[in-house]
Amino acid sequence: MPLPTLLVLDAEPLPRLGRLTGRARIEHTDAAGLAERLPHADVLLVWDFTSHAVRAAWPGDGPRPRWVHTASAGVDHLMCPELAACDTVVTNARGIFDEPIAEYVAALVLAMAKDLPRTLEFQRERTWRHRESQKVGGGRAVVVGSGPIGRAIVRTLKALGVTTALVGRTPRTGVHGPGDLDRLMARADWVIAAAPLTEETHGMFDTRRFGMMQPSARFVNVGRGPLVVTEALAEALAKRWIAGAALDVFDAEPLPPDSPLWQVPNLIVSPHMSGDTVGWRDELGTQFVELYETWEAGRPLANVVDKQRGYVPGH
């Protein structure tokens, strides 16, 4: 029997797929060549998880890969109606980024509470300015997004002594439903966005929601950029409706140099790096190879995305 064709949508550095030598015919493509090659592939590895090329190139009713894997937690960059409607299985990199993102959120919480950005600024200016900082333990947080990343954030914040509520799409034991979000946000010191991007979550953090937060509260987004109405957040910070915010994800990435976000007061901007620790690409490659071996053996795949919801259903 011919070897399955594995097509890789490339990004540098390339994934290490040596374990699949002799077990798959591995082909590489860029965005420009994707549409031509897709109908001949059995498996598509979306290694360039920042690309939206799959949406435009997906072959519709014609021949298509039986399985698509994206080396990212989010799948909004590749989902299109044709892919959602067909029988192609979609998997993601669930499990790779949970703890690193949780650590990053904890670092942001501590940095803002302890006023570290201004401490570094004063150091550069050789200015000795004593201040009081905020105590983290005993505070309240609400984490929006009840997947593995959100649950890891809850565990980490609880270890810091923060009383933390988790909000998900469906209420269940230990998870609040969307109907509780406004009430929880109004009482929270920290609001953390870690939800997937869906029709329901697009623009969910808007002027109304920022307006109901406490003036001393802070907001962090490590989910997807379009969860936030950016202009509403900038206004909330400029008018001091809230005390501060940190964004690691944006509507357009990289954030252009002329974006007004660079100048918004009390906003920390980071370049979509919250989950990227030393060796993360190797972990992504290993995860895919293990999934391929599962697929090759005919066993059920892990991390299967519900294509209608746009994420992997969790517990």
Side-chain angles (χ1 to χ4, degrees):
M1 292 183 61
L3 294 176
T5 298
L6 166 59
L7 181 62
V8 182
L9 180 57
D10 284 344
E12 293 292 341
L14 296 177
R16 297 181 181 181
L17 303 175
R19 275 169 56 182
L20 301 184
T21 301
R23 299 159 62 184
R25 192 175 72 159
I26 301 173
E27 299 181 355
H28 295 266
T29 187
D30 58 12
L34 184 62
E36 179 182 354
R37 291 174 174 269
L38 264 178
H40 310 290
D42 297 291
V43 179
L44 172 65
L45 168 57
V46 185
W47 190 249
D48 183 1
F49 53 80
T50 65
S51 172
H52 291 78
V54 175
R55 288 181 182 174
W58 193 255
D61 293 332
R64 55 186 178 264
R66 291 176 279 162
W67 167 35
V68 173
H69 177 78
T70 178
S72 61
V75 299
D76 51 280
H77 59 292
L78 58 86
M79 293 303 301
C80 59
E82 295 80 8
L83 176 53
C86 74
D87 58 0
T88 296
V89 175
V90 176
T91 58
N92 72 353
R94 179 183 174 110
I96 297 295
F97 302 107
D98 309 351
E99 297 302 330
I101 291 178
E103 293 172 357
Y104 199 86
V105 168
L108 289 170
V109 166
L110 289 168
M112 287 189 281
K114 303 307 177 185
D115 202 21
L116 290 185
R118 283 209 303 166
T119 294
L120 296 174
E121 184 178 328
F122 289 143
Q123 179 181 351
R124 286 191 293 269
E125 297 172 355
R126 303 188 182 192
T127 300
W128 181 278
R129 184 170 299 177
H130 181 271
R131 289 108 58 218
E132 295 178 345
S133 65
Q134 178 183 348
K135 184 179 178 182
V136 173
R140 297 175 183 267
V142 55
V143 177
V144 183
S146 59
I149 292 172
R151 295 198 299 271
I153 293 170
V154 168
R155 290 193 301 270
T156 304
L157 293 181
K158 284 184 175 180
L160 295 174
V162 180
T163 300
T164 307
L166 184 61
V167 176
R169 182 176 184 269
T170 306
R172 52 198 184 276
T173 302
V175 180
H176 294 268
D180 292 332
L181 179 57
D182 289 356
R183 172 179 61 83
L184 293 168
M185 283 186 64
R187 302 172 59 195
D189 301 294
W190 308 94
V191 176
I192 316 297
L197 181 60
T198 66
E199 290 184 3
E200 292 78 16
T201 62
H202 193 287
M204 68 184 301
F205 296 102
D206 55 10
T207 298
R208 183 183 70 84
R209 284 212 158 108
F210 289 125
M212 68 177 53
M213 290 174 64
Q214 300 182 86
S216 60
R218 295 177 174 91
F219 175 80
V220 176
N221 186 14
V222 289
R224 308 298 287 175
L227 298 178
V228 178
V229 179
T230 303
E231 296 79 5
L233 175 60
E235 180 184 26
L237 289 166
K239 294 182 176 180
R240 298 186 180 179
W241 294 351
I242 61 176
L247 299 178
D248 187 55
V249 287
F250 303 88
D251 292 325
E253 297 181 5
L255 190 66
D258 60 352
S259 169
L261 288 176
W262 294 108
Q263 302 298 323
V264 172
N266 297 315
L267 175 63
I268 297 174
V269 170
S270 59
H272 202 152
M273 58 180 285
S274 60
D276 301 348
T277 53
V278 175
W280 65 285
R281 289 184 178 87
D282 288 341
E283 291 184 44
L284 288 172
T286 298
Q287 180 188 54
F288 172 74
V289 169
E290 291 174 351
L291 284 170
Y292 185 93
E293 291 171 343
T294 299
W295 177 82
E296 182 183 47
R299 300 192 301 271
L301 285 165
N303 293 4
V304 174
V305 173
D306 182 322
K307 294 188 290 183
Q308 302 305 316
R309 295 184 182 182
Y311 56 88
V312 178
H315 300 293

